[in-house]
Amino acid sequence: MVIDFNASNSPNRSAQTGATAGRRDAAAEGTRPAVQGSAQDTQAAEGQVKLSAQAQKLQAVEERLRELPVVDNERVAQIRQSISDGSYNVDSGRIADKLLALE
């Protein structure tokens, strides 16, 4: 079988494609299931959902993470104080090791 990519742009090809697509759409409409449902159906379906133990643990961890502050203000204050009084020591070897570990 040979596929001619240029033939897809010809006028006859686009007319055939449109006609075929129209037939497919008409056929599919007759087979589509109804999506309508009552609130009771929705509640019954929701009541059947069960989380695995692993999913429950993950959900608990996510809740704890949401409660944590984005920035540790106490740690920031300590570092600011040590920089201002000159006692902050930069360990260049540790920084280099961490940078190399990223790659």
Side-chain angles (χ1 to χ4, degrees):
M1 177 174 167
V2 176
I3 298 174
D4 186 4
F5 291 107
N6 293 326
S8 65
N9 293 330
S10 70
N12 292 338
R13 175 75 177 162
S14 59
Q16 289 174 349
T17 304
T20 306
R23 278 182 276 164
R24 256 183 295 173
D25 291 342
E29 283 183 25
T31 60
R32 289 186 185 162
V35 183
Q36 298 174 357
S38 67
Q40 290 176 342
D41 293 340
T42 304
Q43 289 173 352
E46 289 175 1
Q48 296 175 0
V49 174
K50 292 184 181 181
L51 296 177
S52 68
Q54 185 178 11
Q56 290 173 353
K57 288 178 185 177
L58 180 60
Q59 193 173 32
V61 168
E62 287 176 347
E63 286 295 323
R64 281 186 261 148
L65 285 174
R66 281 190 206 109
E67 294 171 1
L68 291 175
V70 176
V71 176
D72 184 358
N73 291 324
E74 185 177 320
R75 179 78 174 132
V76 170
Q78 289 174 351
I79 293 172
R80 277 191 181 149
Q81 180 61 37
S82 62
I83 289 172
S84 66
D85 65 18
S87 63
Y88 186 76
N89 185 18
V90 177
D91 185 359
S92 59
R94 182 175 176 212
I95 293 172
D97 288 341
K98 297 259 182 177
L99 286 172
L100 290 173
L102 290 174
E103 291 187 24

